[in-house]
Amino acid sequence: MMYALAVPFRNLANSLLTAAVLAGVPQPVPVTATLSEWKVELSQHRIASGAVTFTITNAGSIPHAFEVAGVGIEQETAVIQPGEHLTLTLTLKPGTYEVYCPVGEDSHKKLGMDTRLVVAGGSDATSPGDGYNSTAMREPRATGPMAAAVPLPAVQVTGGGPVIQILPGPFPFPDSAAPILHAFGDEREGLESQVKNGPYSNNVAPASGTFTFTAWDKGAVRDSVDGIVEFSTQDGARWKLVLDRVQTKDVLHHPRFGGVIFGLYYHGVTQVHTPLVPTINSGVALWAFGHLYENGALVTDNAMVHVMLVSRTRRDGDFALACWDCSKNKIEELQLQILPGPGEPKFDAPGGFLFVNWERSHSRKLAS
């Protein structure tokens, strides 16, 4: 007589898993990945080759994603909303892999969300905390007698063409910006008020001026800038701005913005910085402190300055904003914004905002 033994499916699955472990079938290495503005943190930066399961959490305040690239593999996740998590299992061969956030055509990556994972051949893997971190990987420092000869990324920009002053007014694309504002949390209320009367409007006035600067991208805390701006505003005041220091914190909207960044795709729909600017590509973007003079008298030594050499956003004639997504346009528009420093009284530039645009700017890369 034959007897049938009934085994619940769940128990059978557990039994098979146990059998696989006992039989020596390797299980995926678990790695925890945490995404935030603007870094990628891994629980391990060196693992053995084979299967690995990433448990990825977006601990930031805006959407992010997760990508692993290297040794013949390039795999990314879907966009992960703030507070959510997902898993990604891959089989990795020995080698070095780049792990980063690909959101905004790699703009999040350029802002610091980039690190490395070393996959060793089996027993060569070491424990967590072996010295790998995103900052070290993004900012290698040259040492020894040849250190001074290492070229540093730099660009020199000279403005040219008509100049306009952008005055406070309504943002021309409120319907397009509205869905994106939901991702800005505590900043949403302030941004929504700028939709009605903000610094990026079609309320413009002709002005005049010159602007030349050189910017060096040396790493998050070692960037530098040297520049001078002279211009007249619609009220007849003559202004001079001297740039000699970058700012690496306390930047409006995102406190981790700062310094000098080349080749950034941001604003608009990119989930990078304020959406109350059309989507653009930048040749260079920098955040600096400046010495500001009005009619020859010093106003402040700590004016907060934002400069962008970006895709053309405005049309000829009335200089109205011509597009919500301007990222395909030629990079030929130079923008300058000046605000009072933290805790300082407002100066007389109308509304406290000043954008100056040179529609035919020129730039050249420097070796050092």
Side-chain angles (χ1 to χ4, degrees):
M1 181 178 294
M2 298 179 63
Y3 294 90
L5 178 63
V7 180
F9 178 79
R10 182 178 60 186
N11 291 342
L12 178 60
N14 289 339
S15 298
L16 292 174
L17 177 60
T18 301
V21 172
L22 293 176
V25 177
Q27 300 302 301
V29 174
V31 175
T32 299
T34 304
L35 312 178
S36 60
E37 296 83 61
W38 302 98
K39 58 185 175 180
V40 176
E41 297 176 286
L42 301 179
S43 60
Q44 301 184 68
H45 284 269
R46 191 176 182 93
I47 61 174
S49 59
V52 55
T53 295
F54 297 96
T55 300
I56 309 151
T57 299
N58 183 356
S61 60
I62 62 176
H64 294 298
F66 184 84
E67 181 161 343
V68 179
V71 196
I73 191 171
E74 186 170 357
Q75 184 71 45
E76 70 177 87
T77 68
V79 171
I80 309 169
Q81 297 299 321
E84 295 185 352
H85 66 272
L86 51 75
T87 60
L88 174 66
T89 298
L90 301 172
T91 299
L92 303 181
K93 299 176 181 179
T96 299
Y97 294 80
E98 191 172 20
V99 181
Y100 59 94
C101 174
V103 168
E105 295 186 6
D106 290 351
S107 282
H108 285 202
K109 174 183 176 182
K110 291 177 181 178
L111 289 167
M113 299 189 69
D114 184 19
T115 188
R116 300 291 188 273
L117 176 68
V118 176
V119 178
S123 59
D124 291 338
T126 61
S127 60
D130 59 358
Y132 288 88
N133 60 75
S134 59
T135 301
M137 283 297 180
R138 286 186 289 112
E139 294 183 24
R141 292 177 179 266
T143 59
M146 294 300 293
V150 175
L152 299 171
V155 64
Q156 186 177 73
V157 180
T158 301
V163 183
I164 62 168
Q165 181 181 357
I166 304 177
L167 307 171
F171 185 61
F173 306 108
D175 294 337
S176 298
I180 307 161
L181 291 178
H182 291 282
F184 278 79
D186 295 339
E187 300 171 77
R188 178 180 171 184
E189 183 176 350
L191 289 172
E192 286 179 336
S193 69
Q194 291 187 22
V195 170
K196 301 176 181 178
N197 192 37
Y200 211 81
S201 71
N202 283 336
N203 184 16
V204 303
S208 62
T210 60
F211 188 4
T212 299
F213 70 89
T214 304
W216 291 265
D217 184 3
K218 303 178 183 179
V221 296
R222 296 179 290 125
D223 296 343
S224 59
V225 62
D226 177 21
I228 188 166
V229 193
E230 295 183 283
F231 54 91
S232 298
T233 50
Q234 65 160 4
D235 58 359
R238 294 177 291 103
W239 299 82
K240 180 178 179 180
L241 176 70
V242 179
L243 301 177
D244 60 358
R245 297 155 292 155
V246 298
Q247 52 171 314
T248 56
K249 60 181 181 178
D250 298 326
V251 178
L252 295 179
H253 306 297
H254 282 293
R256 290 180 178 84
F257 266 71
V260 177
I261 302 175
F262 293 152
L264 197 61
Y265 169 80
Y266 69 140
H267 291 308
V269 300
T270 64
Q271 302 289 354
V272 181
H273 218 269
T274 172
L276 300 184
V277 177
T279 303
I280 51 180
N281 277 308
S282 68
V284 59
L286 67 88
W287 293 259
F289 290 109
H291 309 277
L292 183 65
Y293 301 83
E294 181 184 10
N295 296 323
L298 179 67
V299 176
T300 176
D301 283 318
N302 294 293
M304 295 180 68
V305 181
H306 181 32
V307 176
M308 298 188 296
L309 177 62
V310 298
S311 311
R312 186 184 180 108
T313 67
R314 296 184 178 268
R315 63 193 181 206
D316 290 325
D318 61 359
F319 297 102
L321 283 165
C323 44
W324 167 242
D325 183 353
C326 306
S327 60
K328 304 302 182 186
N329 292 350
K330 185 179 179 181
I331 294 177
E332 61 179 359
E333 185 171 289
L334 183 59
Q335 301 180 359
L336 169 69
Q337 180 184 28
I338 308 173
L339 293 170
E344 294 194 350
K346 291 184 178 180
F347 38 79
D348 292 334
F353 301 102
L354 183 66
F355 281 81
V356 184
N357 294 260
W358 283 266
E359 310 299 351
R360 281 176 289 280
S361 301
H362 307 282
S363 66
R364 64 187 183 96
K365 293 287 182 68
L366 304 178
S368 61

PDB file of all heavy atoms in Angstrom, residues 216-229:
ATOM      1  N   TRP A 216      36.807  77.776 -11.492  1.00  0.00           N
ATOM      2  CA  TRP A 216      37.551  76.528 -11.385  1.00  0.00           C
ATOM      3  C   TRP A 216      36.718  75.506 -10.613  1.00  0.00           C
ATOM      4  O   TRP A 216      36.228  75.791  -9.514  1.00  0.00           O
ATOM      5  CB  TRP A 216      38.863  76.744 -10.643  1.00  0.00           C
ATOM      6  CG  TRP A 216      39.878  77.562 -11.370  1.00  0.00           C
ATOM      7  CD1 TRP A 216      40.899  77.121 -12.156  1.00  0.00           C
ATOM      8  CD2 TRP A 216      39.990  78.993 -11.362  1.00  0.00           C
ATOM      9  NE1 TRP A 216      41.634  78.171 -12.649  1.00  0.00           N
ATOM     10  CE2 TRP A 216      41.099  79.338 -12.175  1.00  0.00           C
ATOM     11  CE3 TRP A 216      39.250  80.008 -10.758  1.00  0.00           C
ATOM     12  CZ2 TRP A 216      41.480  80.657 -12.380  1.00  0.00           C
ATOM     13  CZ3 TRP A 216      39.634  81.323 -10.964  1.00  0.00           C
ATOM     14  CH2 TRP A 216      40.735  81.637 -11.773  1.00  0.00           C
ATOM     15  N   ASP A 217      36.543  74.322 -11.179  1.00  0.00           N
ATOM     16  CA  ASP A 217      35.825  73.230 -10.525  1.00  0.00           C
ATOM     17  C   ASP A 217      36.859  72.253  -9.968  1.00  0.00           C
ATOM     18  O   ASP A 217      37.352  71.375 -10.663  1.00  0.00           O
ATOM     19  CB  ASP A 217      34.905  72.531 -11.527  1.00  0.00           C
ATOM     20  CG  ASP A 217      34.063  71.440 -10.890  1.00  0.00           C
ATOM     21  OD1 ASP A 217      34.155  71.267  -9.654  1.00  0.00           O
ATOM     22  OD2 ASP A 217      33.333  70.745 -11.617  1.00  0.00           O
ATOM     23  N   LYS A 218      37.193  72.410  -8.690  1.00  0.00           N
ATOM     24  CA  LYS A 218      38.253  71.614  -8.059  1.00  0.00           C
ATOM     25  C   LYS A 218      37.710  70.599  -7.059  1.00  0.00           C
ATOM     26  O   LYS A 218      38.472  69.903  -6.409  1.00  0.00           O
ATOM     27  CB  LYS A 218      39.229  72.539  -7.329  1.00  0.00           C
ATOM     28  CG  LYS A 218      39.862  73.619  -8.203  1.00  0.00           C
ATOM     29  CD  LYS A 218      40.765  74.496  -7.357  1.00  0.00           C
ATOM     30  CE  LYS A 218      41.360  75.635  -8.162  1.00  0.00           C
ATOM     31  NZ  LYS A 218      42.233  76.501  -7.333  1.00  0.00           N
ATOM     32  N   GLY A 219      36.394  70.524  -6.886  1.00  0.00           N
ATOM     33  CA  GLY A 219      35.830  69.647  -5.874  1.00  0.00           C
ATOM     34  C   GLY A 219      34.907  70.428  -4.971  1.00  0.00           C
ATOM     35  O   GLY A 219      34.890  71.655  -4.978  1.00  0.00           O
ATOM     36  N   ALA A 220      34.140  69.704  -4.157  1.00  0.00           N
ATOM     37  CA  ALA A 220      33.033  70.313  -3.421  1.00  0.00           C
ATOM     38  C   ALA A 220      33.432  71.512  -2.564  1.00  0.00           C
ATOM     39  O   ALA A 220      32.676  72.465  -2.447  1.00  0.00           O
ATOM     40  CB  ALA A 220      32.358  69.260  -2.543  1.00  0.00           C
ATOM     41  N   VAL A 221      34.608  71.496  -1.934  1.00  0.00           N
ATOM     42  CA  VAL A 221      34.967  72.594  -1.037  1.00  0.00           C
ATOM     43  C   VAL A 221      36.216  73.327  -1.492  1.00  0.00           C
ATOM     44  O   VAL A 221      36.755  74.151  -0.766  1.00  0.00           O
ATOM     45  CB  VAL A 221      35.175  72.072   0.407  1.00  0.00           C
ATOM     46  CG1 VAL A 221      33.880  71.530   0.949  1.00  0.00           C
ATOM     47  CG2 VAL A 221      36.270  71.005   0.466  1.00  0.00           C
ATOM     48  N   ARG A 222      36.686  73.076  -2.718  1.00  0.00           N
ATOM     49  CA  ARG A 222      37.921  73.701  -3.190  1.00  0.00           C
ATOM     50  C   ARG A 222      37.725  74.492  -4.472  1.00  0.00           C
ATOM     51  O   ARG A 222      38.690  74.906  -5.104  1.00  0.00           O
ATOM     52  CB  ARG A 222      39.006  72.631  -3.376  1.00  0.00           C
ATOM     53  CG  ARG A 222      39.391  71.947  -2.062  1.00  0.00           C
ATOM     54  CD  ARG A 222      40.462  70.871  -2.280  1.00  0.00           C
ATOM     55  NE  ARG A 222      39.911  69.736  -3.004  1.00  0.00           N
ATOM     56  CZ  ARG A 222      40.419  69.250  -4.119  1.00  0.00           C
ATOM     57  NH1 ARG A 222      41.477  69.819  -4.669  1.00  0.00           N
ATOM     58  NH2 ARG A 222      39.888  68.207  -4.709  1.00  0.00           N
ATOM     59  N   ASP A 223      36.475  74.707  -4.883  1.00  0.00           N
ATOM     60  CA  ASP A 223      36.203  75.500  -6.075  1.00  0.00           C
ATOM     61  C   ASP A 223      36.616  76.953  -5.847  1.00  0.00           C
ATOM     62  O   ASP A 223      36.754  77.404  -4.711  1.00  0.00           O
ATOM     63  CB  ASP A 223      34.717  75.463  -6.412  1.00  0.00           C
ATOM     64  CG  ASP A 223      34.233  74.071  -6.775  1.00  0.00           C
ATOM     65  OD1 ASP A 223      35.080  73.214  -7.076  1.00  0.00           O
ATOM     66  OD2 ASP A 223      33.017  73.848  -6.748  1.00  0.00           O
ATOM     67  N   SER A 224      36.771  77.681  -6.954  1.00  0.00           N
ATOM     68  CA  SER A 224      37.080  79.103  -6.811  1.00  0.00           C
ATOM     69  C   SER A 224      36.573  79.873  -8.024  1.00  0.00           C
ATOM     70  O   SER A 224      36.268  79.289  -9.071  1.00  0.00           O
ATOM     71  CB  SER A 224      38.594  79.329  -6.641  1.00  0.00           C
ATOM     72  OG  SER A 224      39.315  78.828  -7.742  1.00  0.00           O
ATOM     73  N   VAL A 225      36.481  81.195  -7.855  1.00  0.00           N
ATOM     74  CA  VAL A 225      35.977  82.062  -8.924  1.00  0.00           C
ATOM     75  C   VAL A 225      36.689  83.400  -8.838  1.00  0.00           C
ATOM     76  O   VAL A 225      37.074  83.855  -7.746  1.00  0.00           O
ATOM     77  CB  VAL A 225      34.452  82.249  -8.797  1.00  0.00           C
ATOM     78  CG1 VAL A 225      34.084  82.920  -7.478  1.00  0.00           C
ATOM     79  CG2 VAL A 225      33.906  83.048  -9.973  1.00  0.00           C
ATOM     80  N   ASP A 226      36.901  84.018  -9.985  1.00  0.00           N
ATOM     81  CA  ASP A 226      37.494  85.348 -10.065  1.00  0.00           C
ATOM     82  C   ASP A 226      36.740  86.102 -11.152  1.00  0.00           C
ATOM     83  O   ASP A 226      36.796  85.736 -12.330  1.00  0.00           O
ATOM     84  CB  ASP A 226      38.981  85.235 -10.410  1.00  0.00           C
ATOM     85  CG  ASP A 226      39.645  86.606 -10.576  1.00  0.00           C
ATOM     86  OD1 ASP A 226      39.092  87.586 -10.049  1.00  0.00           O
ATOM     87  OD2 ASP A 226      40.689  86.675 -11.238  1.00  0.00           O
ATOM     88  N   GLY A 227      35.989  87.127 -10.773  1.00  0.00           N
ATOM     89  CA  GLY A 227      35.184  87.808 -11.776  1.00  0.00           C
ATOM     90  C   GLY A 227      34.824  89.227 -11.387  1.00  0.00           C
ATOM     91  O   GLY A 227      34.927  89.612 -10.218  1.00  0.00           O
ATOM     92  N   ILE A 228      34.406  90.008 -12.371  1.00  0.00           N
ATOM     93  CA  ILE A 228      33.970  91.381 -12.117  1.00  0.00           C
ATOM     94  C   ILE A 228      32.802  91.713 -13.035  1.00  0.00           C
ATOM     95  O   ILE A 228      32.796  91.366 -14.219  1.00  0.00           O
ATOM     96  CB  ILE A 228      35.131  92.374 -12.296  1.00  0.00           C
ATOM     97  CG1 ILE A 228      34.697  93.772 -11.841  1.00  0.00           C
ATOM     98  CG2 ILE A 228      35.647  92.371 -13.720  1.00  0.00           C
ATOM     99  CD1 ILE A 228      35.866  94.715 -11.665  1.00  0.00           C
ATOM    100  N   VAL A 229      31.788  92.345 -12.465  1.00  0.00           N
ATOM    101  CA  VAL A 229      30.583  92.736 -13.191  1.00  0.00           C
ATOM    102  C   VAL A 229      30.369  94.230 -12.974  1.00  0.00           C
ATOM    103  O   VAL A 229      30.467  94.714 -11.844  1.00  0.00           O
ATOM    104  CB  VAL A 229      29.332  91.982 -12.688  1.00  0.00           C
ATOM    105  CG1 VAL A 229      28.170  92.172 -13.655  1.00  0.00           C
ATOM    106  CG2 VAL A 229      29.622  90.514 -12.445  1.00  0.00           C
TER     107      VAL A 229
END
